[in-house]
Amino acid sequence: MGMGSGIVLFVIGAIMAFALNVQVEWIDLNMVGYLLMGAGAVVFFISLILFFSRRRGGGQVDPVDRGIE
């Protein structure tokens, strides 16, 4: 899951929480929307952190040849 899926989860959650006026007996759609918004925000920020941590540290080349001929 990347940044895009976090945004999609957040948008679907916002639609469920704020735009739907449907009452279902066995589930609270507003709470599900808030949970999806929270999960989307968490996924987005975790993928953002991982994205920037990958760009910062990699790319170091070992100057010693490991015997590949």
Side-chain angles (χ1 to χ4, degrees):
M1 296 181 109
M3 286 184 265
S5 57
I7 292 171
V8 168
L9 281 175
F10 190 86
V11 167
I12 291 173
I15 290 170
M16 288 182 75
F18 303 121
L20 288 180
N21 265 344
V22 178
Q23 295 293 329
V24 181
E25 293 179 12
W26 52 276
I27 194 166
D28 185 11
L29 292 179
N30 288 334
M31 182 58 68
V32 172
Y34 290 133
L35 289 173
L36 284 175
M37 287 171 56
V42 168
V43 167
F44 178 78
F45 286 120
I46 287 175
S47 62
L48 197 65
I49 289 168
L50 291 176
F51 176 74
F52 283 120
S53 69
R54 272 187 249 147
R55 290 181 51 113
R56 196 175 348 141
Q60 295 291 334
V61 178
D62 191 9
V64 178
D65 188 15
R66 297 287 183 192
I68 301 173
E69 296 180 34

